[in-house]
Amino acid sequence: MARKLPMYKAISEAIAQEMERDENVFVMGEDIGAYGGIFGATTGLLEKFGPERVRDTPISEAAFIGAALGAASKGMRPIVELMFVDFFGVAMDQIYNHIAKAHYMSGGQVKMPVVIMTAMGGGYSDAAQHSQCLYGLFAHVPGLKIVIPSNSYDAKGLMISAIRDDNPVMYFFHKGLMGLGWMPSPPEATVEVPEEPYTVPIGEAKVVREGSDVTIVGVAKMVYEALWAAEELEKEGISAEVIDLRTLVPLDKKTLVNSVKKTGRLVVVDEDYRSYGMSGEVIATVVENGISLEAPPVRVAYPDVPVPYSRVLERYVLPDKEKIINAVKSIM
């Protein structure tokens, strides 16, 4: 049976069902117990499973992500919440040098089933240290899988897939999609979610709108900006296909390439910084596959500047529907 759930409840339900299925699954992080996570992703878990399996930690990212590394190497399946991805720097060595590489450096003898769940994204005046996406940084390093759901159905299915994976998975959720009462969220992000456990395969993109004139690619909140742009473009006779990548690593190159083969045009929408990131990787993937394009590909990405605190300035730099429409028209 399915019912509509906001994303934060879908994530919490996925974790709860996996904790019921496997006693090796446990959760750690700041304010994930009594508070239920600052963005609600661990709501109700402490009451259900107790403090041994739902552990509030001090503000010590290096310590609890390091503890997850040790626990995973001994057969446990830890989920750790890095409250904001912006804080990753203090646990960089644990993530980049150990969790990502232990499987390789042990000759495959050490599995590393760690899920690092983290909040990303701006749009609510939280400034330069609480609004970044940064998934491109982690996608750059071999050994980490990167998933980014855009709705509550995918959020539950991808979380279950991440927990069952024997490799480390970075699970990004956009704060502006969680369905929290105190933060605006597109109503389209709250969709029907089956009560029973299910998986969404890691590495499979989804065509969320079919079209024939241009392919628009994005993740998370940018999927909705792309869909809203596609609706407006249709009124002017431009048919846009929209792809929700859902996973950055491994990248679903087949879906991407097949779409651009059909449309001949590509616009990549990215809330992460423009340079050296997702937008460049998507375009390179298309070009390296020898796809014949009707026009040069275009990036609608976050400029290479820190996120402004000013709401007016933040809106000026964030990718949105209007910027996507202008980008599409520039290559028609």
Side-chain angles (χ1 to χ4, degrees), residues 19 32-36 42-56:
M19 291 181 75
I32 58 95
Y35 194 75
T42 54
T43 298
L45 297 181
L46 178 65
E47 293 81 358
K48 194 165 190 178
F49 298 100
E52 283 295 311
R53 298 182 68 193
V54 182
R55 292 180 173 238
D56 272 323

Side-chain angles (χ1 to χ4, degrees), residues 207-229:
V207 177
V208 293
R209 179 189 174 101
E210 294 193 353
S212 57
D213 295 329
V214 60
T215 298
I216 307 175
V217 179
V219 294
K221 203 172 181 183
M222 293 302 105
V223 172
Y224 299 103
E225 297 290 348
L227 286 169
W228 298 332

Side-chain angles (χ1 to χ4, degrees), residues 30 53 276:
E30 299 152 1
R53 298 182 68 193
Y276 310 103

